[in-house]
Amino acid sequence: GVTSIGGYAFYDCSALTSITLPEGLTSIGDCAFYYCSALTSITSKNTTPPTIGDGYTFDDVDKSIPVYVPKSSVDAYKSAEYWKDFTNIVGAYFVDVTAENGTVEGAGAYEENAEAKLTVTPAEGYKFVKWSDGVTDNPRTVVVVSDTTFTAEFELKEYTLTTEAENGTVKGAGTYKHGDKATLTATPAEG
């Protein structure tokens, strides 16, 4: 939902190494990324180049770093004011990933026919089941030929609880999902 980045928003963030500008971003304010000298890449998912406030917005940023933009928008960025100062504007496809109950590495901007390696890490108590297209590989490598969105699907782990009893019985054994409460009832034998 971000549509603009205010002036001086990331001024002098010398540890900032990459930025991803979301689709729908229309403007970046004066000096927003001034002195962000550690930037190694910029990704803009917007087909229309966001307007840049002034010539200092990306001052002290290496203008030869890759700027990944939608493949169909390379010419627009190369001719847009201040964007055209960057010498390495790269047309890319975007691999987006959603993963409720876990995380995924490997989403991002890729050149056509590049390989994206997606690796899932389930949250505690969950296990990875499959991707939204039915593939179960983890990690998974895909050849990028278009903008793509994947969803990683998870389910709660199940555990088997067994009980043993000498001189009596115990009820409550069975299969339980992570986080379930098991009630065990011990009944002693006579005497």
Side-chain angles (χ1 to χ4, degrees):
V2 176
T3 59
S4 66
I5 296 174
Y8 295 87
F10 297 95
Y11 179 88
D12 201 18
C13 287
S14 58
L16 188 63
T17 58
S18 66
I19 54 175
T20 299
L21 305 173
E23 205 173 338
L25 182 75
T26 58
S27 65
I28 301 172
D30 297 347
C31 302
F33 295 99
Y34 194 110
Y35 288 130
C36 293
S37 56
L39 276 175
T40 59
S41 70
I42 298 172
T43 300
S44 178
K45 293 184 172 186
N46 211 325
T47 55
T48 301
T51 59
I52 294 177
D54 63 12
Y56 298 106
T57 297
F58 287 103
D59 199 40
D60 200 35
V61 173
D62 181 357
K63 298 301 187 285
S64 68
I65 64 172
V67 177
Y68 298 102
V69 301
K71 194 160 182 67
S72 62
S73 300
V74 171
D75 290 338
Y77 279 82
K78 285 184 175 181
S79 62
E81 188 173 20
Y82 304 121
W83 287 107
K84 65 184 174 187
D85 297 340
F86 288 95
T87 60
N88 192 10
I89 296 176
V90 180
Y93 291 120
F94 300 103
V95 176
D96 292 314
V97 180
T98 57
E100 189 175 321
N101 302 314
T103 59
V104 179
E105 291 181 20
Y110 291 90
E111 293 185 51
E112 188 170 14
N113 294 317
E115 291 187 348
K117 182 178 179 183
L118 306 177
T119 304
V120 174
T121 303
E124 183 180 348
Y126 287 86
K127 66 179 180 179
F128 170 72
V129 178
K130 65 181 178 177
W131 297 99
S132 49
D133 61 359
V135 173
T136 58
D137 296 347
N138 181 34
R140 174 187 187 174
T141 301
V142 294
V143 176
V144 181
V145 294
S146 65
D147 292 333
T148 311
T149 300
F150 294 100
T151 301
E153 298 178 15
F154 302 89
E155 65 182 29
L156 283 168
K157 290 181 179 178
E158 289 187 342
Y159 307 99
T160 301
L161 174 64
T162 56
T163 59
E164 293 182 16
E166 289 184 28
N167 301 317
T169 59
V170 178
K171 291 183 182 177
T175 302
Y176 295 91
K177 292 188 183 242
H178 184 86
D180 284 352
K181 291 183 180 181
T183 301
L184 302 178
T185 305
T187 305
E190 185 177 334

